Amino acid sequence: MSKLANVWVFSDINDRYAELLAAARQLGDNVTALVLGTKDDVAQAISMGADVVYDLGEQDAQRRTEDYADTIAAVMGGKSASAPLLLSATKRCKSLAARLSILMDAGLVNDAVTLNIDDGHVVVEHRFYGGLAFGAEKIVTPAAIISVLAGVFEPLAEDLQRQGQVIQVNYVQPAVTLACIERRPKQGSSVDLSKAKRVIGIGRGLAAQDDLKMVQELAKVLDAELGCSRPIAEGEHWMERERYIGVSGVLLKSDLYLALGISGQIQHMVGGNGARTIVAVNKDKNAPVFQYADYGLVGDIYKVVPALIDQLKR
C-alpha cells in the first residue's frame, strides 16, 4: 500500500489521539494533528506520533466542537484541501465532520473499521445494516473526512523525546452559529471500555436493577469493567450509555469478555467479538452468543455468578 503525503487528525476527546495517530501513520508519510486543548495536550500529540500540531488553543466554554469547523477548514485549505482528515467517531466529531464535508467539498464516511490506499485514494471499510454487513467506500474527492471507531487501531508507543513543529491557530468565527447559553456537566461514567483488559457484559438475563450489585461484586473480584447490551443502557437506563457494547456503542479489545445473560445478537457481538477470549453464560442453550464464545456455560446467572465469586475469592 503506497502512502499519502500527509494525513490530518482531530478529536474532541484527547485520549483518542493515540489510536487516530496510529491509523494516520499507516496511511501517510507525515501526520498533522489539530489539537483543541492545553499545551500538555499539544506536547502529547507530538509524543504519540504527530509531525506537526496546529494548536487551536483551549476550548472556549461558550463554543461547541462544531464551531471550529471554519477554523479547521481554513487551516487545511478549504475547498483546495487535498488530504484526508481522521476524526474520532463521537457525536460531536460526527457533527463536525458533516460541516467540514460541506466547507471542503469532501467525501465523508463514518465509523471506519479499516483504512487502505488504492490509487492515491482512501478506501474505508465500515459497518452498516446495524452491523450485519460491511461496506467499502472509495473516497475520490481530493479531501476526505473519516470518523474512526474507537478500539480499531492499536496505539503507538509514546516517545517523550520525539520532536515536532507547533503552529498557533487563530479562531475563525463561523458565519452562522448557535449561541451556547449554559453548560451543565453530564451525569455519567467516564469509563472507556475500549481500553479495558477485562469486561463483564450484562443483558436482559438480569431481572432487576438491584441485581447489578451481584455483578459489580464479580467485577471487583475479577478487576473488570462493567458493560451492557443496548436494552440495559437505552431501554432500562440501568447503566450509562458509555457502557453499551455494540455496533453503535463500544468495540471491545479486551483480553476477556464475560457475557452474562446476553443473547448475543449480531448488533451486540459486533462490539464484543474483538475480545481475545469470550466466555458466555446463558440459560438458553440455543442463544446466539454461544456461536461466538470460546467457552460457554448453559446456566442461570443467579446461580453461576455467586458460585464464581465464591471460587475466585478462595
Side-chain angles (χ1 to χ4, degrees), residues 24-299:
R25 276 282 162 216
Q26 291 185 20
L27 295 180
D29 290 320
N30 294 286
V31 176
T32 302
L34 298 141
V35 175
L36 184 60
T38 66
K39 297 301 179 184
D40 287 341
D41 295 325
V42 170
Q44 188 175 40
I46 292 174
S47 69
M48 290 187 295
D51 299 300
V52 180
V53 174
Y54 281 83
D55 184 357
L56 305 179
E58 296 189 43
Q59 184 167 357
D60 189 305
Q62 301 307 309
R63 295 174 188 159
R64 300 174 304 147
T65 301
E66 300 93 304
D67 293 335
Y68 290 83
D70 292 75
T71 305
I72 292 172
V75 169
M76 292 188 64
K79 296 184 186 297
S80 299
S82 58
L85 169 64
L86 308 183
L87 304 104
S88 53
T90 62
K91 289 182 179 179
R92 294 265 73 94
C93 275
K94 287 181 180 180
S95 180
L96 171 67
R99 293 194 182 195
L100 288 171
S101 179
I102 298 299
L103 291 171
M104 298 166 62
D105 279 344
L108 165 62
V109 178
N110 280 318
D111 298 330
V113 293
T114 65
L115 300 168
N116 291 289
I117 303 296
D118 180 22
D119 194 26
H121 297 289
V122 182
V123 178
V124 183
E125 185 175 303
H126 64 108
R127 295 185 177 95
F128 61 101
Y129 294 145
L132 292 173
F134 288 87
E137 314 290 346
K138 186 176 184 178
I139 304 178
V140 297
T141 52
I145 311 296
I146 305 160
S147 69
V148 181
L149 285 172
V152 171
F153 291 92
E154 191 69 29
L156 299 175
E158 191 171 354
D159 181 3
L160 298 178
Q161 303 304 314
R162 202 172 184 281
Q163 299 296 311
Q165 182 183 8
V166 178
I167 301 172
Q168 196 69 39
V169 177
N170 292 321
Y171 178 72
V172 177
Q173 182 68 38
V176 178
T177 186
L178 295 175
C180 179
I181 305 301
E182 181 184 2
R183 282 185 178 271
R184 297 179 182 178
K186 181 179 178 181
Q187 299 300 314
S189 172
S190 60
V191 67
D192 188 348
L193 289 184
S194 67
K195 295 181 179 178
K197 294 299 182 183
R198 300 185 189 93
V199 177
I200 298 174
I202 59 167
R204 287 176 170 172
L206 201 72
Q209 187 174 7
D210 283 345
D211 298 335
L212 276 171
K213 296 174 183 177
M214 171 184 70
V215 185
Q216 288 167 343
E217 185 179 356
L218 176 60
K220 185 178 180 180
V221 174
L222 274 176
D223 190 23
E225 290 287 354
L226 277 184
C228 63
S229 60
R230 187 170 186 170
I232 298 299
E234 297 188 350
E236 302 294 344
H237 301 289
W238 290 352
M239 299 182 73
E240 303 91 340
R241 178 63 174 71
E242 289 84 357
R243 294 184 184 271
Y244 154 48
I245 301 164
V247 64
S248 57
V250 178
L251 301 184
L252 298 182
K253 286 289 184 180
S254 55
D255 294 331
L256 171 68
Y257 178 42
L258 174 55
L260 301 175
I262 291 177
S263 64
Q265 297 299 323
I266 183 64
Q267 290 84 356
H268 176 78
M269 294 313 300
V270 160
N273 209 30
R276 289 193 177 96
T277 302
I278 299 175
V279 180
V281 180
N282 199 297
K283 63 183 179 181
D284 179 5
K285 66 179 181 180
N286 296 315
V289 70
F290 291 123
Q291 299 175 23
Y292 301 90
D294 298 288
Y295 302 93
L297 175 62
V298 178

